[in-house]
Amino acid sequence: MLLPTSEGVLDGHTRMKLYKLINEGKIDNLSGVIQTGKEASVYHARSGDVEYAIKIYKTTLAEFKDREKYL
């Protein structure tokens, strides 16, 4: 299982959530970035023959004034 960190998206809390999905058998692999933007990155994940796109918002949005309303 690969947890890419080059985009600065995966902080400790996010990594723990992803590990939980893996440990629960909901995903087998998080293989890489599909698309990245200023607010989020989308990663390719797989569980058996099923493929998923997982959108992870960048932690830098914490400074965004109305973050709760936006999300």
Side-chain angles (χ1 to χ4, degrees):
M1 210 278 316
L2 173 66
L3 289 178
T5 58
S6 62
E7 295 79 25
V9 175
L10 300 181
D11 61 357
H13 180 74
T14 303
R15 262 190 246 100
M16 293 307 293
K17 292 290 186 180
L18 290 170
Y19 284 130
K20 182 177 178 183
L21 290 173
I22 293 165
N23 290 333
E24 292 175 351
K26 294 181 179 173
I27 62 172
D28 297 328
N29 186 290
L30 184 68
S31 57
V33 176
I34 296 171
Q35 181 73 37
T36 189
K38 66 179 183 176
E39 298 172 353
S41 292
V42 179
Y43 291 85
H44 176 260
R46 183 181 295 269
S47 180
D49 293 336
V50 180
E51 295 183 69
Y52 296 98
I54 298 177
K55 187 172 189 177
I56 301 175
Y57 288 91
K58 296 182 179 181
T59 57
T60 56
L61 282 178
E63 298 172 8
F64 185 45
K65 182 178 159 187
D66 294 323
R67 182 174 185 246
E68 292 294 322
K69 291 180 193 175
Y70 179 78
L71 296 176

